Structures are given as structure tokens and as C-alpha cells.
Amino acid sequence: MKRKKVPIRLKNISKTFPDGTKAVQDVSLDINGGETTALVGPSGCGKTTLLRIIGGLEKNYESGEVWFEDRKMDEVPTEKRNIGIVFQNYALFPNMNVYKNVAFGLKVRKLSQDEIEKRVMDSLSLVRISELRHRSIAELSGGQRQRVALARALAIEPDVLLLDEPLTALDAKLRDKLRIELDSLLTELQITTIFVTHDQVEAMSLGDRIAVMKDGKICQIGTPMEVYKKPKEVFVATFIGTNNLLHGKIIAQGKTKMFCTEGVSLQLPDELPEKDHEEVQLLFRPEDIQLSTSDKAQLIATIKNAFYLGEKTRLICTLSPDNEITVDIKESENIILGQKIYLEISSEKLYIIKE
Ligand SMILES: Nc1ncnc2c1ncn2[C@@H]1O[C@H](COP(=O)(O)OP(=O)(O)O)[C@@H](O)[C@H]1O
Ligand SMILES: [Mg+2]
């Protein structure tokens, strides 16, 4: 199937609900055509509202513009935007069987019977439920319903796919399985997709790019690796994956700059712009810390908790009464709670954020 790869541009969108809730605050965002952009943030941060504005379901926003390629969409009704939408609760028609649910949008578009049949069967086959076409919605599991909703969205051959937490209602195992399938499907179809989720693992694995949202604003947009490795603010750093965060000061010793706080003194990467005595946040990932020996250690910590997670062991360690860090190690033996451990981290893995 040939795709148009429609880019989406949002310009300064704000939406305040009548009760005064500022759900979306001056959001500008460029979404690449043909890519999947994961819109991720905690519950209540405005993801659904923003998605509804893009889809034309929420029309009363006080400012801003929505563009699909070179078309301004703000006055265009939902059914003329050529979008496929999957809601969190799927919103299937309970009194129609699977086939009729998927065919519904095609009938509205007055396609020929042959074309409808072809598209329904193609869509059902894409999401691998062709054999369920005669079932009623009540006879389907959660995962199967999710597939029907996706097939229905795909059948209209949309320019844009809007998915609002499509996996959230499923149990963990099924969610993992469908996430992998959905990733292959989206990669294959190359439809411009906005995937809303509060789950950072979903966002990281499905998004070509991730837009991190908080309190109605986009904090950062970038590839999963950019957002993970170079978070622009502490919120992004702590929301995307587990990050250690220490508050302290820069101490310059000649050309060398150190990060210092109670119980910690770490040499920072060269050529940092931060000045002597500047207050900063130091960030580093649990997986970037290694066990060391007393003569080489950069950090000395005390093990407070240990969680064996199969492929790794996660240690919660204290550096000082106020400073706790998470350390992931491969080894699982000889871990004794209350024991001192010696740790190393290379300076390139240390990341400074001013706040
Ligand atoms: N119809 C509404 N009326 C008033 N407030 C609303 C309405 N819909 C959502 N909100 C509020 O707007 C904020 C953003 O909601 P929402 O976009 O649903 O967030 P998310 O999808 O990220 O969980 C929340 O504070 C929510 O309570
Ligand atoms: Mg929501």
C-alpha cells in the first residue's frame, strides 16, 4: 500500500476547560510524516485532550492551529480528516459483529461492496483475526477487541492514526505481545501515528520519536535514545527510565570540575559550561554503575534493599543519610543488606542539569 506520510504541525495550542483546568498549554509540535510519535506523560497531563484536538473531536480550544501537511484542519470535521482512531476503551459497536464493526466506516464512505469486503478482510488479516469475523463483540477477549478496534481504524486507509492508550486495558503479558506486534505493524505501514501512553516502556519501544508531556506542556521531543540519554529537564530524566538524581555543587579544581555533595565527589566530563560553586543536579543511570574495589572506588555506598529481577539485580543504596541511589548489577550472589559496596562510574556517564 502506498502511503502519503502526512506530517502534522501543531502551533501554539491551548485548551482550558470551563472549570478552569488548563489541559493543554501552548503546545507546538512537529510530527514527522510516516513516523510513530509516542506522546507520553503521567495521567492527567493532557495527552487525551491534545489527541482529541488533533482528531477534531475537541473543537473548543482557545488558541492554536492544527496542520496536516499544508492543510489547516481546525475547521475540518473529524470525518473529513481521514484519520483512524483507537480509543482507550476501544468504543466498538456492541450490537454488530467483528466484520460489521470494521466495515462501518467504509459503509459511511459509501464504498462498493467489493471494496468494503476486500478492505475488511485485509485489515482483519493485518491484525491476525480473520477467523473471528463472524463473532459478536461480547464473545471477544480484551486483546481481540483491541485488534478489532485497530482493524477498524486501519480499514479506512487513514493518513493519520491516533491511538489513545490502546494497550493499557490489557494484562501485562498480552500487552507485551501486542506491543511487539503493533510495533511491526506500524513500522510496516508507515502511517503517521500518534501513540498516547503513560507507560515509558511502551513509548520507548513504539515511538520513532517521543514527546514527553507534563502539566499540559511538551517538555521534550526526540528519539528514544536522545530523550533517554540527554533529558532536558529533571522531570524527563526521572520519568523516562530510572535515573539517579543528586543535588550538589560544581567545584572547580584548576581545569577539572568535580560534582560534590554529602558523601560524594565525582569528576565530571571535560569542558562543562557550568561554573565553580554553581548548584546543579547530577544524573546517572543505574546500569552505568559498576562494582569496584576499595582502592578504585568513586562512590562508597551501603546496600539498603536488593531486588533480584532475573537478568539483573537492583540495589537501593545509601551514600549519605539524604542521598540514595539505584544500582543495577549482573551479579546476584554475596549481596548482604547493610553491607558496604564500592562503586565506579565513568565520567562520560554523568549528566548535569541546571535547575
Ligand atoms: N471534559 C473535561 N472537563 C474538565 N476537565 C477535563 C475534561 N477532560 C479532561 N479534563 C482535565 O484535563 C486534564 C487533562 O486531561 P486528559 O487530557 O484526559 O489527560 P491524560 O489523557 O494525559 O490523562 C486533567 O486535569 C483532566 O482532569
Ligand atoms: Mg488519557
Side-chain angles (χ1 to χ4, degrees), residues 7 40 61 74 85 129 135 153 156 172 188 201 220-221 224 251 260 265 277 289 309 314 317-318 346 348:
V40 63
Y61 39 106
D74 304 85
I85 308 179
I129 48 166
R135 286 265 187 102
I156 60 159
E188 183 193 324
V201 174
Q220 187 168 355
I221 178 161
I251 302 293
C260 299
S265 175
H277 281 81
I289 308 168
L309 301 171
R314 171 156 285 192
C317 305
T318 50
S346 86
E348 306 91 77

Side-chain angles (χ1 to χ4, degrees), residues 47-48 88 164-165:
K47 305 178 296 294
T48 296
Q88 188 167 350
D164 193 357
E165 311 227 15

Side-chain angles (χ1 to χ4, degrees), residues 17 19 21 23 42-49:
F17 283 106
D19 67 355
T21 306
S43 179
C45 74
K47 305 178 296 294
T48 296
T49 306

Side-chain angles (χ1 to χ4, degrees), residues 8 16-18 23 26 118 296 327 335 344:
I8 300 175
T16 308
F17 283 106
D26 197 25
K118 181 178 175 301
K296 286 197 218 144
V327 179
I335 291 168
E344 269 180 77

Side-chain angles (χ1 to χ4, degrees), residues 150 163 166-167 178-186 195 206:
L150 199 57
L163 309 176
L167 307 178
L178 283 182
R179 190 181 69 221
I180 294 164
E181 277 187 38
L182 191 58
D183 184 46
S184 317
L185 188 65
L186 294 175
F195 182 93
L206 280 163

